[in-house]
Amino acid sequence: GFLVLRYDKRGVGQSGGREESATIQDYAEDVRSIVTWLKKRDDVDDERIALAGHSEGGAVAMIAASKESDDIDSIVLLAAPGTRGADLILEQQRHALDLLKTSEAERKTKIDIQERIQTAVLSGVGWEGLPPEYRKAADTPWFRSLLQYDPAPVMKRTKQPVLIVQGDLDKQVFPHHADKLAEMARARDRKEPVEVVHLPGVNHLLVPATSGEVTEYGTLAEKKVSPVVATKIAEFLKR
């Protein structure tokens, strides 16, 4: 009973545009264009359009929904970040350093460098003393928009019911992000339904896993999204 549209974002597959110059906000505008197109179709119930976004796509879905309260009926956030992008990147780096069992001194050095890079990306100054290849990799519109992204004010502007789905083995966007998003959603002035689903044994890709680490992805025997994900989304949207 659902019509589902999946698409390649700009610069990917047969979609036009340039990926390297796009921002999260640009991706959200693309979603709004898609919603406008969907509303014109005779086979679409334009009173029941939902957005489902995974990881960065969750941020994109929230931004789009915050600007289209009349045209978007509900939001599904899958493994989506619940902190500022800058904090998420540092959290991911700390976890990577934990896995490498780096010394405390080396750990501090690497985190200091990452903080300097992020400050330089956000402010446009401070690249002195950093290797040029760091700037080439990090000083992009997309990375700047990711660092700047803060889900709290965006969620506050949304008015839709929200489903949050989180794999509890996620080592890219850790499970506490789901609970932070739920807290933000429940604090909104408009008390719309908020549901959180934690999936044990599921990683960031929403695939059953053992450790959930990124290094495990290539060796997973089962590489299909857990069927529970689609079931939970369908149950939520029917309600």
Side-chain angles (χ1 to χ4, degrees), residues 7 12 41 43 47 65 97 113 136 142 157 162 190 201:
Y7 66 97
V12 177
R41 292 182 60 92
D43 55 352
E47 297 297 321
L97 293 172
I113 290 174
K136 184 177 180 181
W142 173 81
R157 293 193 298 269
V162 179
R190 183 167 171 169

Side-chain angles (χ1 to χ4, degrees), residues 23-60:
T23 66
I24 290 177
Q25 289 72 26
D26 291 330
Y27 292 139
E29 290 305 309
D30 294 342
V31 172
R32 295 177 70 190
S33 297
I34 289 167
V35 170
T36 299
W37 177 78
L38 281 172
K39 286 173 62 67
K40 296 176 181 178
R41 292 182 60 92
D42 294 336
D43 55 352
V44 171
D45 182 348
D46 61 9
E47 297 297 321
R48 292 177 176 167
I49 295 177
L51 298 183
H54 174 260
S55 195
E56 175 203 31
V60 171

Side-chain angles (χ1 to χ4, degrees), residues 131-143:
E133 59 268 24
Y134 287 9
R135 182 169 190 175
K136 184 177 180 181
D139 197 11
T140 67
W142 173 81
F143 192 55

